[in-house]
């Protein structure tokens, strides 16, 4: 089973993801990320859960909880994913001397990803 993402553009939102727009944004970030640094942890984690390596395709069938919701799927209750570290954009407490606005910084953020085999279709389609 393979998920095909339907992407839409959005802005970065640092609060809890709750709206449909925010879920689509989470999916956009998951698919368009440029770093491959989490791939070894993803493969190792899901292989340890008994998923064959050939069925693990980051950015195709491995996503966060919110990205799966954007794809019209929900992670089954009781499923445990694989923790990975990513970087998110945040506003610093430090002000930019030129603009007077808070500087944008990148900081590490831990999130959990799930394999498509740990999900079910949402009742009523995508939200």
């Amino acid at each position: 089973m393979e998920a095909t993402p339907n992407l839409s553009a959005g802005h970065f939102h640092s609060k809890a993801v709750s709206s449909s727009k925010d879920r689509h944004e989470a999916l956009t970030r998951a698919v368009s990320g440029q770093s491959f640094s989490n791939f070894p942890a993803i493969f190792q984690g899901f292989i340890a859960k008994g998923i064959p390596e050939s069925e693990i395709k980051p950015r195709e069938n491995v996503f966060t909880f919110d990205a799966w919701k954007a794809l019209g799927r929900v992670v089954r209750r009781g499923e445990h994913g694989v923790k990975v570290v990513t970087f998110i954009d945040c506003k610093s407490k430090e002000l930019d001397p030129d603009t007077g606005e808070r500087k944008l910084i990148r900081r590490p953020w831990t999130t959990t990803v799930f394999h498509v085999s740990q999900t079910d279709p949402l009742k009523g389609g995508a939200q």
Side-chain angles (χ1 to χ4, degrees), residues 4 11 13 22 33 48 79 96 101 103 122:
T4 305
H11 69 282
H13 195 283
D22 292 337
E79 289 288 354
D96 185 317
E101 294 182 10
K103 289 184 177 181
L122 271 172

Side-chain angles (χ1 to χ4, degrees), residues 60-74:
E60 288 183 40
N61 68 7
V62 174
F63 294 108
T64 63
F65 180 88
D66 291 311
W68 278 121
K69 284 185 86 172
L71 287 168
R73 300 187 70 81
V74 64

